[in-house]
Amino acid sequence: MKAWWRLRRAAVEAAPLLVSGDYRLDGDTARRFEGRGGVAGWLPDPRRVHVASSAGGMAVHDTLIRRSDCLILLAADRGHVTRLYRDPAKVERLVANSRWLRPVFPCPAAEPVATGLPGWYGVREGFVVGRILCDAEPEQWAPTYRAFLRCCAENARRCEGRLDPSPWLAELDGWTGSGSVGTVLARRRDELAEVLDSAPLLRSHGDAHNGNLMVTDRGELAVIDVERVEAQPFFFDALSIPRGSEAVNRTLRRDYLAGAFDDDLAAVWQAAGQSFRPELRAAYLLAVAVAHAFRPQFADGPAERRREKLSRAVEKFAHDIL
């Protein structure tokens, strides 16, 4: 119930930018209610809220999605998305991330926008019409992934610095894993160290899962949600998709381990000044899971949290690489 009231409050706070009318709350989303009938009959229902204000000065929106750190408003004409933040630094980061990625990835443009709401800072992004990769047709999975790998190869030309994995490996060596996760880490320990040692670093998308890769209505790749751009081993983005647990991930992982994408990945490695080694496919996949567990937002936290992240990640593909 607390979540419902938080979303109700968010809808009220964003009311000057929303189309005036009645909204239905569903999870973390408020959508304009198009039904008929008087307001008084259903407003006590906590799943609904009335927005009396009308937008002024900005394009109007008819859908609100509440995230942990921002509100996302969808324009009524679906021409753009407006993100609202309390922290102006997050606006600056999102805009900078978009400008970094757009030369090589098909990401929507993101620019700061005045909101007229006290205490709120806005970013306006282009709206992508299409389906997220996991909802696309299976025959679109591999072509879309190949298109993404071509983008990764372009980005890999911009590597800066080298990774020092010694703190990661030292922590892993002190951890006694159990089950298939422990077996994988023990069996692949030397290969993992070889893959990570002095790997070129690259400012990567950082969150390239199957909900952030989209197939547009024209059948083309689009990449969304660029909040997490950060320095990672150069292959982090390229191998983030094959390590997931949904059907699209399992299918692409099976094909990856069978060598279907070797040529595409060799181009990524070459762009980073490296040589792709097919015999290390399993170790590359494991290295992405390790890099994810040790990413900056987890680096200063308890070791137990990193181990939990790593265990959950490796469990998704452990049996495929044993």
Side-chain angles (χ1 to χ4, degrees):
M1 183 60 69
K2 187 180 293 185
W4 290 110
W5 287 105
R6 285 201 297 264
L7 185 54
R8 282 174 60 89
R9 183 175 62 188
V12 171
E13 289 178 332
L17 303 183
L18 291 170
V19 177
S20 179
D22 307 318
Y23 286 74
R24 181 174 181 84
L25 309 183
D26 182 12
D28 285 329
T29 302
R31 293 185 178 87
R32 191 164 183 251
F33 183 66
E34 301 294 346
R36 298 179 179 179
V39 173
W42 54 257
L43 260 185
D45 182 346
R47 292 175 296 178
R48 297 181 180 174
V49 64
H50 182 70
V51 172
S53 302
S54 60
M58 287 185 63
V60 293
H61 308 76
D62 63 4
T63 302
L64 180 149
I65 302 171
R66 183 182 180 276
R67 292 276 185 88
S68 60
D69 64 341
C70 71
L71 302 179
I72 300 176
L73 303 178
L74 306 187
D77 63 3
R78 295 301 185 262
H80 70 274
V81 174
T82 300
R83 294 175 181 262
L84 302 178
Y85 293 90
R86 290 293 194 184
D87 183 355
K90 292 186 176 180
V91 169
E92 295 173 2
R93 174 177 169 81
L94 182 60
V95 171
N97 290 349
S98 173
R99 291 175 179 172
W100 169 259
L101 291 176
R102 275 177 57 77
V104 292
F105 289 99
C107 301
E111 296 296 338
V113 62
T115 68
L117 304 179
W120 287 102
Y121 305 88
V123 175
R124 177 173 171 143
E125 292 181 291
F127 184 80
V128 177
V129 179
R131 290 190 289 179
I132 58 176
L133 186 60
C134 60
D135 291 339
E137 298 298 329
E139 58 267 25
Q140 295 178 304
W141 294 346
T144 303
Y145 181 49
R146 290 185 192 279
F148 182 67
L149 290 178
R150 289 193 291 272
C151 297
C152 292
E154 288 297 316
N155 197 33
R157 301 179 190 279
R158 305 190 288 177
C159 288
E160 293 182 345
R162 296 274 175 167
L163 175 68
D164 175 13
S166 54
W168 299 1
L169 296 172
E171 184 170 315
L172 290 178
D173 287 342
W175 176 39
T176 303
S178 59
S180 59
V181 174
T183 301
V184 166
L185 290 173
R187 184 175 298 178
R188 303 287 180 180
R189 189 337 185 145
D190 291 343
E191 292 180 350
L192 177 65
E194 182 178 1
V195 166
L196 290 174
D197 186 39
S198 297
L201 288 172
L202 174 66
R203 286 180 65 193
S204 305
H205 179 281
D207 198 22
H209 59 72
N210 55 44
N212 284 340
L213 269 60
M214 295 188 65
V215 181
T216 70
D217 285 357
R218 299 176 59 181
E220 299 172 344
L221 167 71
V223 182
I224 61 173
D225 284 353
V226 300
E227 295 96 331
R228 291 189 181 180
V229 171
E230 62 191 12
Q232 287 285 2
F234 71 93
F235 50 81
F236 187 86
D237 282 348
L239 293 181
S240 287
I241 290 293
R243 72 180 185 86
S245 60
E246 297 190 41
V248 59
N249 309 111
R250 296 194 303 270
T251 297
L252 294 177
R253 177 166 63 247
R254 177 197 63 205
D255 293 344
Y256 159 71
L257 292 171
F261 303 109
D262 281 2
D263 290 345
D264 306 273
L265 290 164
V268 178
W269 263 250
Q270 183 179 9
Q274 306 292 299
S275 296
F276 179 76
R277 296 171 56 186
E279 71 274 16
L280 294 178
R281 292 189 199 105
Y284 293 141
L285 202 60
L286 183 60
V288 174
V290 171
H292 180 270
F294 284 89
R295 65 190 314 160
Q297 62 262 46
F298 307 137
D300 295 329
E304 289 77 12
R305 187 182 185 193
R306 290 188 290 276
R307 294 170 186 174
E308 179 184 6
K309 291 286 183 182
L310 181 58
S311 292
R312 290 182 178 179
V314 176
E315 283 173 355
K316 296 175 182 178
F317 59 80
H319 292 291
D320 292 331
I321 65 174
L322 281 174

